[in-house]
Amino acid sequence: MENCIVLDLGTTYFKATIFDGDGKLCALLRRPTPVESTQPGYSEIDAQTFRNTITAMIRDLYHEAPQRFPHIGAITFATQTNSFVLLDADGEALTPFVIWNDQRAKNHSPLLGELIALPGFYETTGVPGLSPEFMVAKLHWYQIQTPELWERVARIALISDYLTLRFTGQFVTEAGAAGLTGLVDI
């Protein structure tokens, strides 16, 4: 049976593991999430720091269990919903990752109320309410606060989307994570 690398990219820690084909834990490491607060209420991860952290964790897994690596059959991950990065047309980051608990959009509540009041919002999205922690609030903040940057945005990537893009070259989203943004017709 093949081994699997599992990345758990939480708000407090990033964890990396290797499981064997029987589900036995073979290697585990964790690092504090490299989150920064560049301004009051901001919660961000620099895109290059994110890539470097993931690369270092996989390298360290190799050093912890080198005999497992020739038999890695899959890489999977669990990530934070509503944490995202804005990308240009070449797939390069225009912004740091904005983490779900970021509060920069706390004054954009009127927009959120308007969205929730739309006929069929809950039935369409499955989301009963929105708060400033939702990606949609922060996207609105970027549109208002940085229109010149917003004009350059070609893609919005959740953390899971970004990892998939970097691992496979494909820009796709995972339905479960996307469905929790309030932006998807479920």
Side-chain angles (χ1 to χ4, degrees):
M1 294 244 167
E2 294 186 308
N3 298 303
C4 180
I5 293 176
V6 179
L7 303 172
D8 180 357
L9 307 178
T11 307
T12 307
Y13 285 98
F14 281 5
K15 293 153 296 275
T17 61
I18 298 176
F19 286 92
D20 70 14
D22 295 322
K24 178 183 167 206
L25 180 63
C26 302
L28 165 68
L29 59 95
R30 66 184 202 166
R31 295 209 170 131
T33 301
V35 67
E36 298 177 324
S37 183
T38 57
Q39 295 186 44
Y42 283 32
S43 185
E44 304 173 330
I45 300 174
D46 174 75
Q48 185 64 49
T49 300
F50 178 84
R51 287 192 302 271
N52 292 346
T53 301
I54 299 301
T55 301
M57 291 177 74
I58 291 173
R59 181 195 61 232
D60 292 349
L61 273 179
Y62 173 78
H63 291 302
E64 191 166 320
Q67 73 284 5
R68 298 279 175 189
F69 265 69
H71 307 287
I72 298 293
I75 298 176
T76 188
F77 39 84
T79 64
Q80 313 158 23
T81 298
N82 285 292
S83 296
F84 67 95
V85 63
L86 301 177
L87 305 175
D88 67 15
D90 296 322
E92 296 302 319
L94 294 170
T95 63
F97 284 91
V98 179
I99 305 307
W100 69 270
N101 60 357
D102 182 284
Q103 293 294 309
R104 75 186 66 206
K106 68 182 176 188
N107 295 325
H108 290 253
S109 295
L111 167 77
L112 301 178
E114 290 172 22
L115 288 173
I116 294 168
L118 290 172
F121 178 82
Y122 174 69
E123 293 79 6
T124 301
T125 67
V127 175
L130 296 171
S131 70
E133 289 84 8
F134 273 77
M135 180 174 65
V136 66
K138 293 165 200 153
L139 295 176
H140 185 252
W141 181 93
Y142 272 111
Q143 289 174 327
I144 300 301
Q145 299 298 322
T146 61
E148 67 290 340
L149 176 111
W150 186 254
E151 288 179 16
R152 296 175 43 216
V153 174
R155 297 188 184 273
I156 301 163
L158 296 168
I159 288 179
S160 54
D161 305 340
Y162 186 80
L163 281 173
T164 302
L165 177 64
R166 292 296 171 223
F167 285 142
T168 70
Q170 300 295 312
F171 189 80
V172 296
T173 195
E174 191 274 321
L180 294 173
T181 65
L183 296 172
V184 175
D185 181 342
I186 59 168

